[in-house]
Amino acid sequence: MENNEGKGVNKSLLDLPETALDCILKWLSPIELCVVSMVCASLRDRCGSNHLWEKHMKFKWGSVIGEVAYKEWQCHVTKAKEGTLLGDTFTNLNGSLGSLSGTWPDLYLGSYLQDCGNLNGQFSNKFMKALYFSLETGRFWFPAQFYKGLTIYNGLFSYDSKSDIFQARQHNGGWRFLGKNIGWDMMRAPPVDTPPYALHINDCFHDLKPGDHVEIQRRGITETHYGWRYGVIGHMESCNGNENYCECQHNEELVVEFKQYPEASYMRKVILNRRKTEEQGSRATGFFGGIRKLHNHHHIHLWNNRLTAEALRMMEPRLYYAPPVEAVAQYPIHGHR
């Protein structure tokens, strides 16, 4: 460093204490971190630190990227470093990992990474930074869930940073496009690491009681994958609903109510056997798999909002149109024919 008398000592960013430098870098945006990383080799390494990018990952992607996606990403990183080819599902001709042409459960890794070259290049050993930009550029088709009506489905999603929306593929007899206009509010990170074609292992079946909020796997036919539906545990017909005398929690049968259906609908409720660990149901009501209790009030609130919105949507075509009084007055009423 040049020391000019009377002008003080010129210092660089690297002369700051470690804690001070780290504090400054934590305040930088992703773009600013990239700019600073071009100054020198030392700052390039520091600006690529996982703890800096973990904050940006949680801030932007925390609502849609969960443990399932992180595990998939770790698999891609490992395979890219090993440089191994695993049969036809590893599409190495264009440097990608995974495939969108396979079928469950043969779809390797359950995600798809277009061009894994950066994992052994500029993003080598920068797990979080590599993940952030693979998501930002849409190269990483990551596993997540999306709301379609009042059911949640699993799919693979790719982000379009220009329009700030997602496109998705879903497995249904082959990987097919679901759409290209999926917003952030239509998605969530999978709360459980259960593939959509597998039966979720129940861990709360015997503890459920009337009033508990749940999500339950359901599919229309046994040859397809599961979706998740929202329901509320109800009372047995023999119970009057008085909590002081209610014994429903200790009954072998479990009532799950779906309040989006009318009271008289055969889809309104389903009765399951707590002792059975296999799929239950019929072609009339659908086939039900695993069940999970909702403890997060925010998730319950989101479901109730969707129930309300769906109810209003269903009412719209049935709204009665009342003609103006002037128009009615033109036609005298002669009674019913």
Side-chain angles (χ1 to χ4, degrees):
M1 293 296 173
E2 183 181 0
N3 188 348
N4 296 326
E5 186 178 352
K7 295 183 179 180
V9 179
N10 294 326
K11 290 188 176 183
S12 73
L13 196 63
L14 294 175
D15 293 321
L16 293 173
E18 293 284 337
T19 54
L21 177 57
D22 191 58
C23 184
I24 292 174
L25 296 179
K26 285 181 178 179
W27 284 96
L28 298 183
S29 68
I31 297 301
E32 291 168 337
L33 280 174
C34 291
V35 172
V36 174
S37 70
M38 294 187 288
V39 173
C40 62
S42 179
L43 284 174
R44 182 173 64 246
D45 292 337
R46 289 177 180 272
C47 291
S49 298
N50 283 330
H51 75 279
L52 294 176
W53 288 94
E54 184 176 7
K55 182 190 72 170
H56 295 299
M57 277 295 305
K58 289 181 178 179
F59 179 77
K60 179 166 185 176
W61 298 98
S63 63
V64 297
I65 295 292
E67 289 301 318
V68 178
Y70 279 115
K71 288 179 181 179
E72 290 293 322
W73 181 251
Q74 182 63 67
C75 289
H76 286 307
V77 172
T78 301
K79 293 303 175 185
K81 289 182 177 181
E82 290 177 353
T84 57
L85 305 181
L86 298 181
D88 295 335
T89 54
F90 185 98
T91 54
N92 59 308
L93 294 179
N94 58 0
S96 61
L97 281 164
S99 171
L100 292 174
S101 60
T103 57
W104 288 114
D106 299 322
L107 181 73
Y108 180 61
L109 293 178
S111 59
Y112 180 64
L113 176 62
Q114 298 171 332
D115 187 6
C116 62
N118 286 336
L119 296 183
N120 290 322
Q122 60 176 318
F123 291 147
S124 177
N125 299 320
K126 297 178 176 63
F127 182 91
M128 285 295 179
K129 183 178 181 180
L131 175 56
Y132 185 93
F133 280 104
S134 292
L135 290 168
E136 194 73 21
T137 57
R139 293 175 180 172
F140 182 37
W141 288 77
F142 62 94
Q145 293 180 331
F146 70 102
Y147 296 89
K148 187 175 182 181
L150 293 176
T151 304
I152 289 180
Y153 292 100
N154 289 70
L156 294 188
F157 296 80
S158 175
Y159 179 63
D160 182 355
S161 59
K162 293 182 179 179
S163 56
D164 195 32
I165 56 176
F166 296 85
Q167 57 178 322
R169 291 177 182 263
Q170 183 191 46
H171 177 265
N172 189 6
W175 285 98
R176 63 182 178 86
F177 268 107
L178 289 174
K180 298 184 178 181
N181 296 297
I182 300 174
W184 290 84
D185 61 334
M186 299 297 294
M187 295 174 55
R188 74 174 189 181
V192 292
D193 189 3
T194 302
Y197 52 85
L199 186 73
H200 178 67
I201 304 302
N202 298 312
D203 59 358
C204 63
F205 227 170
H206 297 283
D207 300 324
L208 292 172
K209 61 184 183 301
D212 285 343
H213 301 261
V214 299
E215 286 180 0
I216 185 170
Q217 286 180 309
R218 182 191 178 277
R219 55 185 176 183
I221 56 176
T222 56
E223 292 78 17
T224 188
H225 58 81
Y226 288 106
W228 289 88
R229 284 197 175 183
Y230 169 74
V232 179
I233 303 302
H235 292 275
M236 301 297 298
E237 289 187 4
S238 58
C239 180
N240 61 9
N242 189 326
E243 62 181 25
N244 295 322
Y245 302 98
C246 178
E247 294 291 333
C248 295
Q249 183 177 0
H250 309 293
N251 197 296
E252 182 179 305
E253 294 183 328
L254 179 72
V255 177
V256 183
E257 291 192 50
F258 305 102
K259 295 186 176 181
Q260 62 266 39
Y261 297 106
E263 287 279 357
S265 173
Y266 69 93
M267 296 289 290
R268 172 74 178 198
K269 64 175 63 174
V270 62
I271 300 178
L272 306 175
N273 190 313
R274 296 180 192 256
R275 294 184 180 182
K276 291 185 177 181
T277 56
E278 66 271 17
E279 185 177 74
Q280 303 181 56
S282 65
R283 287 188 174 272
T285 61
F287 297 92
F288 296 88
I291 192 170
R292 56 182 293 268
K293 183 178 178 179
L294 297 179
H295 300 278
N296 191 312
H297 292 289
H298 176 65
H299 292 164
I300 296 173
H301 179 69
L302 289 177
W303 272 117
N304 285 326
N305 284 347
R306 292 189 177 278
L307 286 175
T308 302
E310 183 68 11
L312 292 175
R313 187 187 69 81
M314 294 297 292
M315 290 173 60
E316 284 179 358
R318 303 175 186 177
L319 291 178
Y320 175 73
Y321 169 71
V325 176
E326 301 81 18
V328 177
Q330 297 178 14
Y331 304 96
I333 300 176
H334 299 288
H336 297 289
R337 293 186 177 181

